[in-house]
Amino acid sequence: MSARARDVWVSYLRVSTPEQAAKDLSLPAQREAVEEYARRNGQVIAREYLESGCSGTDINRKAFRQMLEDVLKPGSDIGTIVVHHTSRFTRNATQARVVKEQLRKQGVKVVSVCQELNDDPIGQLIEGIFECIDQYESEVNGMRTIAAMREAVRQGFFPGSTPPYGFKANKIEVRAGLMRSVLAVDEHEAAVVRELFQLYVSNNGAKSVARELNRRERWYRKGKPWSKDLVLKVLEESAVAGTYWWGKHDAKTRRKKDRSEWLPLKVEPIVEPALFDLARRLRSQREPTRNPGRAPSPAMLLRGLVRCGKCGSSYTLESSGKKVNGEVYQYRYYNCRIACRVGKEACPGWRVPATKLDNAVLEFIVGVVCTGDRCSALLGLQQNGTYRAITDEAYASVQGAWSTMIRSDPTVARNYLHHLVEQIEVDENRITVVPKEAYRVMA
Ligand SMILES: [Zn+2]
């Protein structure tokens, strides 16, 4: 027991989040019940701690913390905390036990108007049961809320509060009295998103994109300037390419949930999915720490695709025999397998430097992939099936970025290669790339 008499009564009143507040007893009603209870016991409430819009499972409730601080500080004269119902104090049974035990040691009581209990072992047992019920109810409510939200997403509605950048949440009345939100393109923000993607794929890092947008006075929301993190957030948000994923994080712990639990919500795309994809690939390329151990040896790039123009057998890697770093050959050549294994009598073969052959093939791929039409399609927004005109500068920069990506990322290059190329024939000073059937017209 503290030296000073703890004879002051205070109250703690709480209503939860707006959606749930309808079910809670209102603050004025809680206040009236609490004050009436104090009167019956010949007391007055000296101070009120008010919490609104806070869940009973939230451990960072402001008024709650303030109250505990006031109660537990040395020399405090607060001896009784009155709540309307134990569930107002906390909906976490463990927290209830810990905090109440801490208070009890200081000679402070927590009393509930609705659940008057004696301060004896039976009273404490019943109080513990009430606390468990409070937590159980909260968990069931939470599950109901989550289930309702998932159902809303399945029906194409946006149950969140803050739409991703580029979108706004439009309220619509589904049926009398039932309002739902749908994600719709916010034309002003969408224009900034397109600019942002354009800048990013034009060989700008996220930081310089942020700077450039700020220089152009194309602010983030509410006049807030762009930062590197905000730019990356937009680049990562798949909603801009047509799919918003709901439920990525646990609402309480903020931990990322397993992908299988995410729910897709189709929205009108702001940028071409191919542009979104390009930006994502560029990002992993510009930030190699994000995916370590990538970039397999370029020596494997053309494996299985090159044939000898003279004898038709496969081309293989012929090393110069010089070793660097134990295993990387400084000079690498491709040559006919038969010429290497059997000898010049079987096939004279033709030795071609690996980089020369790789580059010739990459050049072919870039020529097929990065055509003017495809670049404009990538950058120009599809609106009513038409492409927006783009500047030559923007077009050139996308072409440049795209071809850089293909050339410098063996994984990407190989994907395109196997998609586009049937075979590569090598003969004396002649490299012939045979495209797959579907691409023969284009090549
Ligand atoms: Zn040969």
Side-chain angles (χ1 to χ4, degrees), residues 307-315 335-340 346-350 426:
R307 309 234 146 243
C308 173
K310 289 190 172 76
C311 72
S313 90
S314 63
Y315 252 55
N335 203 348
C336 169
R337 192 182 180 86
I338 298 293
C340 292
C347 175
W350 185 61
V426 179

Side-chain angles (χ1 to χ4, degrees), residues 327-349:
E327 56 173 302
V328 180
Y329 295 104
Q330 199 172 9
Y331 302 108
R332 291 178 304 111
Y333 297 92
Y334 289 108
N335 203 348
C336 169
R337 192 182 180 86
I338 298 293
C340 292
R341 297 279 166 91
V342 186
K344 282 192 181 350
E345 301 77 29
C347 175

Side-chain angles (χ1 to χ4, degrees), residues 91-103:
R91 277 200 182 272
N92 179 321
T94 311
Q95 190 193 29
R97 288 284 86 184
V98 171
V99 173
K100 283 178 182 171
E101 186 53 33
Q102 200 180 0
L103 292 170

Side-chain angles (χ1 to χ4, degrees), residues 64-89:
F64 189 76
R65 291 176 80 99
Q66 182 62 54
M67 175 181 72
L68 291 185
E69 204 183 305
D70 292 351
V71 171
L72 295 172
K73 78 177 169 214
S76 169
D77 51 8
I78 300 171
T80 306
I81 299 167
V82 190
V83 292
H84 178 253
H85 187 278
T86 53
S87 67
R88 298 303 90 198
F89 190 70

Side-chain angles (χ1 to χ4, degrees), residues 9-14 25 27-41 43-48 81-85 88 111-114:
W9 286 38
V10 298
S11 67
Y12 177 73
L13 315 177
R14 180 178 69 82
L25 194 60
L27 288 177
Q30 287 184 36
R31 176 181 298 129
E32 210 185 295
V34 162
E35 282 175 352
E36 152 62 20
Y37 176 87
R39 257 196 309 278
R40 260 193 282 137
N41 287 276
Q43 299 286 340
V44 286
I45 299 297
R47 187 165 174 191
E48 217 172 48
I81 299 167
V82 190
V83 292
H84 178 253
H85 187 278
R88 298 303 90 198
V111 297
S112 156
V113 176
C114 297

Side-chain angles (χ1 to χ4, degrees), residues 74 76 113 136 148 166 170 181 196 260 271 279 291-292 343 351 404 414:
S76 169
V113 176
Y136 170 77
N170 279 347
S181 291
L196 183 152
S260 61
V271 298
N291 42 358
R351 201 188 211 200
T404 306
R414 201 176 359 262

